[in-house]
Amino acid sequence: MKLWTKTVATAVLAGALMAGGVAGGLWTGADRAYAASTASTVNSVINVSGSGEVLAKPDIAYLSIGVQSEGNTAAAAQKANATKLNKVTQLLKEKWSISADDIQTSQFYVQPTYTYNEKEGQKLKGYTANHTLSVKYRDLDKIGQLLDEATKSGANNVDNIRFSVEDPSTYEEEAITKALGSAQSKASAVAKAAKRGLGALVNVTVDGGEAQVFTQRENAMSKSLLDVAGSGTEIQSGQVTVTVQVSAQYEMN
């Protein structure tokens, strides 16, 4: 959490007891309550929040590339799938120079599949193996070509391409400036409505401690559609949104 703080001086004026002209006696009832009262003034504060957004060109993509195979047994399905996956992984590492650190398994399972009819009920058909990789890729202009080649190498489950910025701090300062401007506008409106003046900024908190990136998702075309179209996959990276939320406190004069 990032925090900027300025000490707020609170002035308290001690009131004096109101002395009356009752000699040798005691204060009673309402007169006593009134006489014992004190007067004080405290600096008022306004608490507001603000949001700042910056549109940014993405510089990294997260690709979901998977292979799926079927077999009569779990071992057969898994073996067939492993062969496909090894071919796809080799392509990514050797031809596309993607580091092993940027390739991670995001899903893996081997499960039975069934058929059903009224006469025989549920019957085991075989097994399905699935292995999905999450791949970081930074040359966004070549994503379509990469996916086409991965599909030709055996990947048959390609979807959920997510674009983002790898280092949001690049845009954080601009977003904070906008967020604080938004907060100050709200505080000014509150002070004006209260017929008061807006004083100094005394406290600011960046909620969450860092900028949040709202990414853009793109669905990859299936291989069957590519064959019909006779052209490669076209992926548009567009823009992503970097957002900062702040909480601020102002003095009110």
Side-chain angles (χ1 to χ4, degrees):
M1 177 177 293
K2 299 182 179 178
L3 186 66
W4 294 265
T5 306
K6 170 185 174 183
T7 303
V8 181
T10 304
V12 179
L13 301 178
L17 291 176
M18 304 291 293
V22 181
L26 298 174
W27 293 102
T28 59
D31 289 338
R32 181 177 181 180
Y34 175 77
S37 68
T38 61
S40 65
T41 58
V42 179
N43 286 351
S44 302
V45 295
I46 304 171
N47 294 302
V48 290
S49 62
S51 177
E53 291 186 355
V54 177
L55 291 178
K57 184 175 178 60
D59 55 18
I60 190 169
Y62 298 89
L63 314 176
S64 177
I65 301 176
V67 295
Q68 183 170 301
S69 304
E70 296 181 350
N72 293 329
T73 65
Q78 185 174 346
K79 182 178 180 180
N81 216 49
T83 300
K84 293 179 183 177
L85 184 72
N86 289 339
K87 190 175 180 180
V88 171
T89 303
Q90 184 178 7
L91 172 77
L92 298 176
K93 290 180 178 180
E94 295 182 3
K95 181 170 183 178
W96 289 90
S97 301
I98 299 176
S99 168
D101 293 338
D102 291 334
I103 302 174
Q104 182 179 33
T105 294
S106 60
Q107 186 180 59
F108 173 81
Y109 65 81
V110 180
Q111 63 184 23
T113 56
Y114 299 91
T115 59
Y116 178 85
N117 60 59
E118 294 184 358
K119 182 178 181 180
E120 298 180 341
Q122 181 174 278
K123 186 177 180 180
L124 180 65
K125 178 183 178 181
Y127 291 83
T128 299
N130 180 286
H131 196 148
T132 303
L133 301 175
S134 177
V135 181
K136 296 178 184 178
Y137 191 63
R138 296 172 180 81
D139 192 348
L140 305 191
D141 292 336
K142 295 182 179 180
I143 289 178
Q145 183 183 349
L146 185 156
L147 295 179
D148 289 342
E149 293 193 10
T151 302
K152 292 176 182 177
S153 294
N156 52 13
N157 188 9
V158 180
D159 58 6
N160 283 336
I161 303 170
R162 182 168 60 90
F163 294 99
S164 187
V165 289
E166 196 163 13
D167 183 12
S169 64
T170 305
Y171 306 93
E172 192 174 42
E173 183 176 348
E174 183 180 353
I176 287 175
T177 299
K178 289 186 176 183
L180 197 53
S182 171
Q184 184 172 347
S185 295
K186 292 179 183 179
S188 296
V190 172
K192 183 178 180 181
K195 301 187 185 306
R196 301 279 292 275
L198 184 64
L201 172 66
V202 295
N203 187 61
V204 179
T205 301
V206 179
D207 298 337
E210 61 183 14
Q212 303 298 314
V213 182
F214 293 88
T215 60
Q216 175 183 320
R217 292 183 180 274
E218 191 82 26
N219 289 326
M221 296 175 63
S222 68
K223 179 59 180 171
S224 60
L225 291 177
L226 294 177
D227 289 337
V228 172
S231 60
T233 305
E234 293 185 6
I235 302 297
Q236 306 299 324
S237 60
Q239 290 181 310
V240 298
T241 304
V242 179
T243 298
V244 167
Q245 303 283 344
V246 301
S247 298
Q249 188 178 73
Y250 291 84
E251 289 180 334
M252 188 164 58
N253 299 327

